[in-house]
Amino acid sequence: MAYMTVGRAKAGELEVRDGDLLRGEDLELRALEDAQVILIHTL
Amino acid sequence: MTISILHRDDLPLGGFAGLKEHRLVTDPKLFGEYAATGAWSGLGRFVYLADARFNPKGETHMHDHKEIDVISVIVKGRIAHEGTLEHGQGLAANDVQVQRAGGEGFSHNEINPDDTKNRMIQIWVLPEKKGELSGYKVYKPGPGLTRVYGGAVGQSDTFAAKTVVEVAHLSVGENVAVKVLSWPI
């Protein structure tokens, strides 16, 4: 899971932004502007 | 890559004491029938995520935690921390505070010392073992990826756990990836 707290990013074909909580088994985010993201996963 | 998205601003705004917040994760493992409307379940032992804004000079007032790990990410403004762990600790934007309540528990108050609203994300993770000692750590994540919670037993950089929390600061064009290897713990 990932929670965007600052900025915007691209997750696959989706644009996500501050305030979006994402759930997916393989998340990859590319920042569209300076961004802060909290990542939560399991080992 | 299949992704589900929960938008904070689609959820009701709640709060208590001196703050307003959106509760995005209220896992039934902890909240049972009191899970927030529209909120998601967590992952692993991650059970709670709230995006809070304290009123100017707002505070939570002193309250207790037991058998929970509490991770606070300061996004904007400052927090003054009072309580049984590291009383007087000041936290600024980008700082991350991690408190392990353990079996002995802790009491604390979180205060916005300023005349403007701040913003703090709070995450709760259930401990894997009950009865641990309480503990306290502060992180100041820089550029890139910083682990602030979880990892192998025996290291002291973070509280050991199979549920991991990391903070990424990305510049334009930079990537970060997370692969979930297993779900329930």
Side-chain angles (χ1 to χ4, degrees):
Chain A
M1 297 176 78
Y3 187 54
M4 294 285 303
T5 51
V6 175
R8 295 181 301 124
K10 200 90 170 176
E13 297 302 311
L14 300 171
E15 184 176 319
V16 295
R17 62 179 57 243
D18 174 12
D20 286 347
L21 179 65
L22 287 69
R23 183 192 290 273
E25 294 201 3
D26 289 292
L27 290 174
E28 184 167 355
L29 296 165
R30 180 171 57 83
L32 297 173
E33 56 190 45
D34 288 354
Q36 183 189 55
V37 190
I38 300 171
L39 303 169
I40 302 165
H41 58 99
T42 55
L43 295 175
Chain B
M1 181 165 60
T2 302
I3 298 174
S4 302
I5 301 177
L6 179 63
H7 303 287
R8 173 193 59 209
D9 296 332
D10 289 344
L11 295 173
L13 183 64
F16 64 98
L19 64 90
K20 299 289 187 190
E21 65 182 3
H22 292 93
R23 294 184 168 189
L24 290 100
V25 171
T26 54
D27 194 291
K29 280 199 290 288
L30 182 65
F31 290 89
E33 63 185 290
Y34 299 104
T37 303
W40 279 359
S41 299
L43 169 72
R45 300 187 71 83
F46 156 53
V47 292
Y48 177 75
L49 187 151
D51 189 334
R53 288 171 172 78
F54 286 64
N55 298 328
K57 306 290 189 189
E59 60 183 287
T60 60
H61 300 296
M62 197 67 74
H63 59 283
D64 302 327
H65 291 281
K66 198 167 186 178
E67 298 294 8
I68 196 82
D69 294 335
V70 179
I71 299 133
S72 302
V73 180
I74 316 304
V75 178
K76 181 182 174 187
R78 298 188 300 159
I79 286 285
H81 170 84
E82 297 179 343
T84 54
L85 298 175
E86 299 297 329
H87 179 87
Q89 175 76 49
L91 301 163
N94 296 325
D95 289 350
V96 179
Q97 173 183 258
V98 183
Q99 300 169 93
R100 168 159 281 180
E104 58 184 325
F106 67 80
S107 300
H108 74 156
N109 184 15
E110 296 147 310
I111 305 157
N112 176 6
D114 297 314
D115 293 325
T116 54
K117 287 187 178 182
N118 65 3
R119 184 176 170 207
M120 181 182 82
I121 313 302
Q122 191 157 97
I123 292 165
W124 294 357
V125 183
L126 293 169
E128 287 161 17
K129 193 165 78 174
K130 288 199 168 184
E132 298 267 26
L133 295 174
S134 60
Y136 186 96
K137 294 178 184 290
V138 169
Y139 302 86
K140 297 180 179 294
L145 191 63
T146 302
R147 182 174 291 187
V148 298
Y149 179 84
V153 174
Q155 52 82 36
S156 59
D157 292 340
T158 54
F159 290 118
K162 291 176 183 164
T163 301
V164 170
V165 179
E166 296 168 315
V167 176
H169 286 147
L170 304 175
S171 298
V172 177
E174 289 184 329
N175 291 319
V176 67
V178 56
K179 183 179 284 286
V180 176
L181 299 178
S182 61
W183 291 79
I185 291 180

